[in-house]
Amino acid sequence: MTAEARPLEVRKQDVLNRLEKDVDAWVSTASPDGTPYLMPLSFLWSDGTLLLSTARTNPTARNLLANPVVQLTLGEVRDVIHVAGTVAVGDVSEAEGDAFAAKAGFDPRPLANYPFFRVTPTKIQAWREVNELKDRVLLDNGTWLV
């Protein structure tokens, strides 16, 4: 038996809670020739963006440097959050770096080869069951709909 669909306000709060508490997301990128690549990475939700870091030589970093479009997924099949966004490479504040290190259990800042990637969500979708598919888009074109 399927549970009742969550009201949109509740679903948005559930998404924000997961973005704060979850440690890892599946990160999907594409190479310049369109080859897809999927990798789990730790993230930090900071000021409406997700911070990621990985070695510049890894396929994920190479793909993001060539094509700043990304999709991330958190959760399980029956409780999913799907984020589409754009990426910028850049520095993080000391507080963000400390928070990332504490959450991820690893600090990339002393490593010259590990840039930070800041993902700005353009679309966020969330659903648990088929009854939530109709209203699954909670953020579109960077604006919360709820």
Side-chain angles (χ1 to χ4, degrees):
M1 184 169 163
T2 302
E4 187 173 324
R6 296 169 289 168
L8 294 179
E9 298 80 15
V10 171
R11 203 175 323 173
K12 177 184 176 185
Q13 191 56 56
D14 288 348
V15 166
L16 293 171
N17 289 340
R18 294 279 304 278
L19 288 168
E20 285 291 330
K21 293 181 173 121
D22 283 18
V23 175
D24 301 312
W26 287 100
V27 179
S28 176
T29 61
S31 69
D33 71 1
T35 304
Y37 191 76
L38 184 64
M39 180 60 54
L41 290 177
S42 297
F43 72 92
L44 174 71
W45 178 249
S46 178
D47 198 26
T49 63
L50 295 99
L51 294 175
L52 313 169
S53 185
T54 189
R56 188 177 297 274
T57 55
N58 286 344
T60 299
R62 291 194 317 262
N63 291 347
L64 291 174
L65 291 166
N67 177 6
V69 176
V70 66
Q71 294 193 19
L72 302 96
T73 302
L74 289 75
E76 301 180 22
V77 172
R78 295 193 185 266
D79 190 6
V80 68
I81 298 167
H82 188 74
V83 179
T86 57
V87 175
V89 180
D91 295 325
V92 297
S93 70
E94 184 175 343
E96 285 177 320
D98 291 347
F100 182 93
K103 186 177 182 190
F106 131 88
D107 189 349
R109 292 174 292 179
L111 306 170
N113 189 20
Y114 276 75
F116 276 97
F117 298 92
R118 187 176 301 271
V119 178
T120 300
T122 55
K123 182 182 259 186
I124 296 178
Q125 302 175 70
W127 65 92
R128 287 187 177 155
E129 298 287 342
V130 68
N131 62 351
E132 291 187 350
L133 288 176
K134 177 179 167 276
D135 295 316
R136 68 183 170 258
V137 177
L138 302 176
L139 179 140
D140 198 20
N141 294 317
T143 301
W144 289 101
L145 304 178
V146 198

